[in-house]
Amino acid sequence: MSSQTKPQILLRREEITSAVKRLAAEIERDYQNRYPLLIGILKGSFIFMADLVRQLDFPLEVEFIRVSSYGRGRESSGAIKIVRGLTSVVKGRDVLLIEDIVDTGLTAGFVLDYLAKKKPTSLKLCTLTDKPSRRQRSVQIGYLGFTVPNKFLVGYGLDWDEKFRNLPDICFLENED
Ligand code: 5GP
Ligand code: MG
């Protein structure tokens, strides 16, 4: 596939905005007096995180973690390692992990295991999108934006070979089944 492939819109920016508001209302209800630590998985979650936290009108902290999956393009090799760790203390905190997409479940599962070992008071996952058709490992999703079909998505933080993260809508690339 060439990088000239024209992205087709799957989720428009307005739909994303209302999903983010709905998720924020759910999170606010559950966390507003708990000073939660929101941990985004880089790079894909950066736009979702930025929009989500601006809808949360209570004290919280933001952190990021970066993992690599030793894979380029669309396929993850399944071997995951942390390439940028945390600077905040997780022990005793209410931790909410923020992900752009859960696909095989290997990345979120790995990071949840990693964080659980640090003994947070609570640990949940919030993902903007869920692609359940390719799941290899089950992960519990506490807050979900959209269930999406088995297409390769780009935009709103999601990339193809580092491109398209800046698209305001979530799109899929043509030629994908
Ligand atoms: P998993 O480990 O669940 O297979 O995938 C998690 C990571 O793979 C996501 O954080 C994302 O970086 C990448 N990924 C999975 N599906 C897609 C997709 O449709 N589009 C893009 N751009 N990345 C994806
Ligand atoms: Mg990602």
Side-chain angles (χ1 to χ4, degrees):
M1 186 188 64
S2 85
S3 56
Q4 269 82 52
T5 306
K6 192 171 179 317
Q8 307 290 309
I9 294 179
L10 177 71
L11 299 166
R12 293 192 175 277
R13 62 200 79 182
E14 297 82 6
E15 294 174 76
I16 300 171
T17 302
S18 40
V20 170
K21 284 186 180 155
R22 171 178 56 78
L23 291 172
E26 294 172 20
I27 292 166
E28 190 152 338
R29 182 194 63 208
D30 296 345
Y31 288 90
Q32 67 175 323
N33 297 311
R34 294 163 64 184
Y35 191 47
L37 178 61
L38 273 60
I39 304 178
I41 305 182
L42 290 173
K43 298 178 189 173
S45 72
F46 81 112
I47 292 179
F48 177 39
M49 176 73 112
D51 283 349
L52 182 67
V53 295
R54 282 179 291 175
Q55 296 293 329
L56 296 174
D57 191 17
F58 61 89
L60 55 84
E61 271 183 53
V62 169
E63 253 293 354
F64 289 97
I65 190 168
R66 183 153 184 213
V67 297
S68 80
S69 62
Y70 292 110
R72 270 195 55 139
R74 299 175 181 208
E75 292 304 319
S76 155
S77 66
I80 299 160
K81 79 169 193 174
I82 289 167
V83 294
R84 182 206 183 275
L86 301 169
T87 52
S88 302
V89 175
V90 163
K91 189 172 177 186
R93 299 295 302 272
D94 288 300
V95 172
L96 186 57
L97 185 64
I98 309 293
E99 183 53 308
D100 50 358
I101 186 162
V102 177
D103 183 15
T104 63
L106 296 174
T107 305
F110 177 87
V111 177
L112 286 168
D113 285 350
Y114 170 81
L115 293 172
K117 288 197 193 102
K118 297 184 178 293
K119 304 270 181 273
T121 300
S122 70
L123 178 60
K124 281 207 216 175
L125 173 65
C126 169
T127 184
L128 181 61
T129 62
D130 177 24
K131 202 195 282 183
S133 48
R134 298 198 343 133
R135 198 70 97 247
Q136 289 179 37
R137 168 179 177 171
S138 82
V139 285
Q140 207 182 334
I141 297 174
Y143 305 91
L144 172 64
F146 302 96
T147 300
V148 293
N150 187 16
K151 292 180 183 296
F152 192 78
L153 305 182
V154 295
Y156 198 74
L158 289 153
D159 74 306
W160 178 70
D161 207 12
E162 294 303 324
K163 293 179 273 291
F164 304 118
R165 292 194 197 275
N166 53 320
L167 297 178
D169 308 296
I170 293 181
C171 301
F172 60 93
L173 298 175
E174 268 176 335
N175 311 327
E176 188 65 14
D177 55 57

